[in-house]
């Protein structure tokens, strides 16, 4: 029984950095076994797994995005963060956070990369 919701800018210019937050409620984000993924979906395409952070703070990333993606968390705020550098128009899409233990998705947030 958890809830997740994403927030962040809807429009980002090319070459800028994207910073998204995922606020988690219902359980401590430090509980053993918990993990949170960032997943995105470009328009008209399938879901793309970006990376994950576990309850002990370990992170793993998609090889294609590893060089410019960072996932972190703030335990006191029960918040998971996504940062992606050097955004391109192809990064446009809906970004989701996902709780693997509870199989729960956030509502998603639209990100448009355009000048």
């Amino acid at each position: 029984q958890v809830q997740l919701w994403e927030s962040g800018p809807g429009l980002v210019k090319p070459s800028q950095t994207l910073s998204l937050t995922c606020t988690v409620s219902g359980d401590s984000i430090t509980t053993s076994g918990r993990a949170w993924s960032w997943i995105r979906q470009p328009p008209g395409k399938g879901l793309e797994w970006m990376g994950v952070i576990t309850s002990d703070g370990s992170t793993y990333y998609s090889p294609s995005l590893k060089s410019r993606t960072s996932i972190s968390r703030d335990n006191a705020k029960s918040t998971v963060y996504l940062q992606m550098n050097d955004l391109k128009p192809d990064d446009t899409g809906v970004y989701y956070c996902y709780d693997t233990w509870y199989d729960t998705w956030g509502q998603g947030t639209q990100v448009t990369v355009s000048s």
Side-chain angles (χ1 to χ4, degrees):
Q1 184 65 44
V2 298
Q3 294 181 343
L4 304 86
W5 56 98
E6 305 91 339
S7 62
L11 179 64
V12 182
K13 295 183 182 300
S15 81
Q16 292 186 337
T17 296
L18 174 67
S19 296
L20 298 179
T21 63
C22 174
T23 302
V24 180
S25 66
D27 197 4
S28 172
I29 67 171
T30 62
T31 299
S32 180
R34 302 287 302 281
W36 302 267
S37 293
W38 284 98
I39 300 167
R40 69 180 184 179
Q41 185 172 34
K45 298 184 178 180
L47 298 170
E48 179 185 18
W49 179 78
M50 302 180 68
V52 62
I53 186 166
T54 66
S55 60
D56 67 356
S58 300
T59 55
Y60 306 90
Y61 301 99
S62 168
S64 64
L65 301 174
K66 181 178 180 180
S67 64
R68 58 192 184 101
T69 303
S70 178
I71 299 173
S72 59
R73 70 182 190 183
D74 186 326
N75 294 341
K77 297 181 179 179
S78 295
T79 301
V80 179
Y81 302 96
L82 172 71
Q83 182 179 101
M84 187 164 62
N85 303 318
D86 191 25
L87 261 66
K88 304 171 176 60
D90 286 347
D91 294 317
T92 293
V94 180
Y95 286 68
Y96 301 91
C97 58
Y98 170 69
D99 187 306
T100 62
W101 182 265
Y102 290 99
D103 189 21
T104 300
W105 295 77
Q107 84 286 352
T109 186
Q110 173 69 41
V111 176
T112 300
V113 183
S114 176
S115 61

